[in-house]
Amino acid sequence: FNTLRTFVPVLVKQPVQSAIITASLAGVSPGFWGPYGTSKLAALGMAEALYQELQLIQENSVSVLALCPGVVNTDLQESSAKFTAHHSKVDSNRGGAAQDDGFSHLAENVNNLFQRFWGQGTMTSEFCAEKVFEYLESGKFYCFLNG
């Protein structure tokens, strides 16, 4: 919200005007996603509100795209695993036993859920970027991508 509130007034004055809000297919899929899916649904709602509000402005040429990708191959899971491993080591180095704070299996569990519902994550970030430009040129609002 704060990002949009800051940048939209500047954006409407630019010659090329596009706002891309990244949500996820998890935001439009029922159940199992808890806080993650809820946050992505909120991002989608923010995109829809921005789109509708900008339609009320005369001379508006800002295009809004709601990007809802499925699984994208990134290093997010590896980074999460490294983060968790690092913090477990830090806790054990403080003289106490490393405790499972509930996040140690988060990346694996999320990956399993994504694979269960959408198959293997075969989409690259480059593929997503190409599709974003295609959708922006077409004037479509929703961009649902799944490998």
Side-chain angles (χ1 to χ4, degrees), residues 20 36 40 46 81 113 136 140:
I20 303 164
Y36 179 78
K40 298 309 176 182
M46 183 78 64
L113 281 172
L136 284 171
K140 295 179 181 176

mmCIF file of all heavy atoms in Angstrom, residues 20 36 40 46 81 113 136 140:
data_model
loop_
_atom_site.group_PDB
_atom_site.id
_atom_site.type_symbol
_atom_site.label_atom_id
_atom_site.label_comp_id
_atom_site.label_asym_id
_atom_site.label_seq_id
_atom_site.Cartn_x
_atom_site.Cartn_y
_atom_site.Cartn_z
ATOM 1 N N ILE A 20 2.685 -3.156 -11.960
ATOM 2 C CA ILE A 20 2.583 -4.612 -11.927
ATOM 3 C C ILE A 20 2.555 -5.030 -10.467
ATOM 4 O O ILE A 20 3.498 -4.778 -9.724
ATOM 5 C CB ILE A 20 3.775 -5.276 -12.649
ATOM 6 C CG1 ILE A 20 3.857 -4.776 -14.084
ATOM 7 C CG2 ILE A 20 3.655 -6.790 -12.587
ATOM 8 C CD1 ILE A 20 5.178 -5.053 -14.752
ATOM 9 N N TYR A 36 0.197 -17.223 3.633
ATOM 10 C CA TYR A 36 0.763 -16.939 2.308
ATOM 11 C C TYR A 36 -0.351 -16.649 1.299
ATOM 12 O O TYR A 36 -0.338 -15.616 0.612
ATOM 13 C CB TYR A 36 1.622 -18.108 1.821
ATOM 14 C CG TYR A 36 2.197 -17.871 0.452
ATOM 15 C CD1 TYR A 36 3.306 -17.040 0.286
ATOM 16 C CD2 TYR A 36 1.624 -18.450 -0.675
ATOM 17 C CE1 TYR A 36 3.825 -16.806 -0.974
ATOM 18 C CE2 TYR A 36 2.145 -18.216 -1.943
ATOM 19 C CZ TYR A 36 3.246 -17.398 -2.089
ATOM 20 O OH TYR A 36 3.759 -17.159 -3.337
ATOM 21 N N LYS A 40 -1.414 -13.062 -0.623
ATOM 22 C CA LYS A 40 -1.472 -12.956 -2.084
ATOM 23 C C LYS A 40 -2.859 -12.540 -2.549
ATOM 24 O O LYS A 40 -3.009 -11.820 -3.529
ATOM 25 C CB LYS A 40 -1.035 -14.257 -2.746
ATOM 26 C CG LYS A 40 0.402 -14.635 -2.422
ATOM 27 C CD LYS A 40 1.349 -13.477 -2.693
ATOM 28 C CE LYS A 40 2.765 -13.803 -2.287
ATOM 29 N NZ LYS A 40 3.677 -12.670 -2.495
ATOM 30 N N MET A 46 -5.613 -5.427 -3.830
ATOM 31 C CA MET A 46 -4.984 -4.112 -3.982
ATOM 32 C C MET A 46 -4.859 -3.756 -5.462
ATOM 33 O O MET A 46 -5.137 -2.629 -5.873
ATOM 34 C CB MET A 46 -3.607 -4.112 -3.322
ATOM 35 C CG MET A 46 -2.899 -2.786 -3.371
ATOM 36 S SD MET A 46 -3.483 -1.580 -2.171
ATOM 37 C CE MET A 46 -3.057 -2.392 -0.657
ATOM 38 N N ALA A 81 16.341 -22.423 3.289
ATOM 39 C CA ALA A 81 17.024 -23.520 3.987
ATOM 40 C C ALA A 81 18.322 -23.024 4.619
ATOM 41 O O ALA A 81 18.637 -23.365 5.760
ATOM 42 C CB ALA A 81 17.293 -24.660 3.021
ATOM 43 N N LEU A 113 3.355 -28.570 -1.140
ATOM 44 C CA LEU A 113 2.003 -28.111 -1.458
ATOM 45 C C LEU A 113 1.910 -27.609 -2.895
ATOM 46 O O LEU A 113 0.995 -27.958 -3.628
ATOM 47 C CB LEU A 113 1.569 -26.999 -0.505
ATOM 48 C CG LEU A 113 1.110 -27.438 0.872
ATOM 49 C CD1 LEU A 113 0.892 -26.218 1.772
ATOM 50 C CD2 LEU A 113 -0.162 -28.255 0.778
ATOM 51 N N LEU A 136 1.078 -6.895 -20.776
ATOM 52 C CA LEU A 136 0.998 -5.434 -20.745
ATOM 53 C C LEU A 136 0.625 -4.885 -22.122
ATOM 54 O O LEU A 136 -0.198 -3.985 -22.237
ATOM 55 C CB LEU A 136 2.326 -4.826 -20.281
ATOM 56 C CG LEU A 136 2.621 -4.902 -18.789
ATOM 57 C CD1 LEU A 136 4.052 -4.456 -18.511
ATOM 58 C CD2 LEU A 136 1.626 -4.088 -17.987
ATOM 59 N N LYS A 140 -4.445 -6.679 -20.992
ATOM 60 C CA LYS A 140 -5.163 -7.525 -20.035
ATOM 61 C C LYS A 140 -4.797 -7.148 -18.606
ATOM 62 O O LYS A 140 -3.705 -6.661 -18.339
ATOM 63 C CB LYS A 140 -4.841 -8.990 -20.289
ATOM 64 C CG LYS A 140 -5.341 -9.492 -21.620
ATOM 65 C CD LYS A 140 -4.963 -10.931 -21.829
ATOM 66 C CE LYS A 140 -5.459 -11.420 -23.191
ATOM 67 N NZ LYS A 140 -5.029 -12.795 -23.453
#
